[in-house]
Amino acid sequence: APGVYQLASLLVELDTSDEASRILCADALYQMGHVEEAHKLLLLALSRNPQRSPILARLALLQLKKGFTYDGNQLLKKVIRIGDTSCLLPIMDIFKDEDRKLMQTHCHFRALTILKDRRED
C-alpha cells in the first residue's frame, strides 16, 4: 500500500484532474489505516464529480465504519439512484475483511427492512 500511495500521489501531482489516481490514492490510504485522510481525499474527488458511484460507495463504507449509519445509507441510495452499482463488487475486494462484513451485513439488513416495509404497505 505505501508504494501504491507514493505512485498514485505522483500521478495526482502530474495531473490534478486524474480522478482514477485520486481514488487509488484514497484506497492506499485506507489500506494503510489512514481513514480520515482517505475520507478527505474522497470528499475532494466527490466535489469535482458528485455523481461518481465508485467514490460514493467508498465514502459510504467510511461513514458506516465511523458509525454514521444515516450518512452511509444516503450515499448508498445515491449509488443505487445513479444506477451504476457495478462498482460495488470490485470495491469489496479492496475493503478489509471486517469492513467487507460490515458493508454486507448493513446492506443485507437494509434490504430486509425495505422488503418488510413494502409487504406491510
Side-chain angles (χ1 to χ4, degrees):
V4 171
Y5 173 72
Q6 290 175 345
L7 177 61
S9 294
L10 287 173
L11 292 171
V12 169
E13 285 181 30
L14 291 173
D15 182 3
T16 57
S17 66
D18 184 8
E19 185 178 284
S21 295
R22 285 189 188 284
I23 291 173
L24 187 59
C25 216
D27 287 347
L29 286 168
Y30 162 79
Q31 287 293 325
M32 293 186 305
H34 302 286
V35 176
E36 286 301 319
E37 291 174 47
H39 188 259
K40 288 177 187 174
L41 196 56
L42 289 170
L43 287 175
L44 178 63
L46 187 65
S47 71
R48 294 174 183 221
N49 190 350
Q51 299 298 314
R52 285 287 287 150
S53 293
I55 298 168
L56 292 167
R58 284 169 171 84
L59 282 170
L61 168 76
L62 296 179
Q63 293 296 69
L64 292 173
K65 187 173 178 68
K66 292 178 180 182
F68 300 134
T69 307
Y70 179 80
D71 296 335
N73 282 339
Q74 295 305 311
L75 291 166
L76 288 172
K77 284 180 186 178
K78 270 187 165 179
V79 170
I80 292 166
R81 266 188 256 126
I82 291 168
D84 182 16
T85 57
S86 63
C87 68
L88 290 173
L89 196 54
I91 291 171
M92 293 301 269
D93 291 335
I94 296 166
F95 294 163
K96 296 177 182 175
D97 285 338
E98 68 214 33
D99 296 334
R100 187 177 310 119
K101 286 179 183 175
L102 172 69
M103 180 70 99
Q104 288 172 333
T105 302
H106 176 76
C107 289
H108 177 77
F109 284 119
R110 281 295 302 146
L112 288 176
T113 301
I114 291 168
L115 290 173
K116 182 182 171 194
D117 289 347
R118 285 193 179 162
R119 280 189 207 145
E120 289 175 358
D121 289 343

